Amino acid sequence: MRNVAIIGGGISGLICIKSCLDGGLSPTSYEMTNDIGGLWNYDANSIDGKASVMKSTVINTSKEFMAFSDYPPPIDYPNYMHNTKLLEYFRGYAAKFDLIKYVRFRRRVTRIEPADDYEKTGCWMIYSVNLDKKETMNDNETGEKYDAVMLATGHHAHPRLVDFPGLENFKGRNIHSWQYKTSHGFEDKNVLVVGIGNSGGDLAVELGRIAKQVYLSTRRGTWVLNRVGPNGWPADMVLSSEVYGAVQKYFPSLTNWLVERDMNKRFNHETYGLKPKHRPLEQHPFLNDDLANRILCGSVIVKPNIQEFTADGHGVIFSDGSKVDQIDCVLMATGFNIVFPYLDEKILTVKENRIRLYKYVWPAHMTHPTLAVMGLVQPWGAINPITELQARWAVRVFNGELKLPSRVKMDEDIDEKISEMSQRYVESPRHTVEVDYVDYCNDIADKVGCRPNIWNFLIRDFQLGWLLLFGPCTPYRYRLQGPNKWKDARQTIFTQFDR
């Protein structure tokens, strides 16, 4: 069996282990902490290089979309799981397929380099240190050779900090959302949250219940989606189908109009100071169930971009000329940088969060397809099914069952995606790896060989075909046919609304 190194023991790492085992490969996962779960394993401390949710975080995608394609969540689990419940689900997955024994805990990868014989074999050297040993890194570092590498360290571990004129004068507390864990210590404070991504919205709502006053600063506003969809169903179970995806792809103006109409029915975005100049499909989706309520009761006040911090170190002046004289704490919900600290820039170059990867997986310039990046996308939907499809694809490529296009073809595809992105999305570091869930899943599933042929199903299994066409694009559909198909996939699709 070919040996594969997996960097990271979070959810993407577990998916890679499972996919390698399914493909007859021998995986070894390097995890810097002492547990699985990655981002979703809450840690009260901020550890350099580790992503972690805040204590109250609830997932933005429903459980059927966050599901593993051959391990549906229990029926008694809530549709939108708290991070502790989600971690419990991950532990069940790891136990079911006996994945933990392939993880080396407390191993920090220091560098990854092509082996001396890389040009001939495509092999890599993984250098790591045992974090439980007291020796210096030089004495502790060990190197091991692998046939292939899967990078599964995510992109929520290296905070992106933003500077403003006069910020150096600020005398209060200034932290990034990555460092925020609980609301303790923010009671009766005047808090300024900078940024209106999903983290910024969650922070504003949570602190709006206990702080003296929360100000939410946004450069361009946002469209606010809700977890609760039509008739009380989880929104993604209703709005993520093949048909809806086709309408969104071929009729974006109509989709934007419909989405804006529905969101403004909940509350008028202009009245609430949130209406942006861009359309809904031109930004990463922002989901929040309670922001409008916090604004309505005055505990959150929306402000435009920051112009400067005042010279006395206590106040802030905004771009509309308004001023707040007393701010006790600034929370920077300004996103994250894509970083691969263990790799030479010649292998993976990142500039302003832009990275050249074929289908967001493969560095096209490498001689051999033995290095794959997992889960480095921002989907309009759940990331787990995407990572799973990427991993299944990578394993088939590692095994020699599939071949990648030529470098020229891959570069053309990368350039095309960059052009599409720049035309569609608001220019921002957070929009460099954006993908549409249905389109991207189907694209990778085509390459894996597991995309269901809906028209064939409509002919020989009409009920299933109808569900595949008009029902939610849950991950089980990618186990109906092709490599590693699952015998219970059909029944799981039919019972997903019961769960």
Side-chain angles (χ1 to χ4, degrees), residues 32-56:
M32 63 180 286
T33 69
N34 59 4
D35 202 357
I36 63 169
L39 170 70
W40 296 104
N41 191 333
Y42 170 75
D43 194 317
N45 301 306
S46 300
I47 301 172
D48 183 38
K50 180 188 182 300
S52 174
V53 292
M54 57 191 196
K55 193 172 182 67
S56 60

Side-chain angles (χ1 to χ4, degrees), residues 190-192 213-215 301 303 308-310 312 314-318 321-328:
N190 290 318
V191 181
L192 173 60
Q213 183 65 65
V214 175
Y215 300 93
I301 295 175
K303 287 289 187 180
E308 63 178 330
F309 286 80
T310 57
D312 65 4
H314 297 291
V316 180
I317 300 173
F318 298 93
S322 63
K323 180 183 178 183
V324 176
D325 291 320
Q326 182 62 47
I327 294 293
D328 300 304

Side-chain angles (χ1 to χ4, degrees), residues 57 119 134 155 164 297 308 350 424 438 451 462 498:
T57 300
E119 291 301 322
K134 296 180 180 179
H155 53 108
F164 292 98
C297 70
E308 63 178 330
V350 183
R424 172 174 166 180
V438 175
R451 182 180 178 180
F462 182 78
D498 297 332

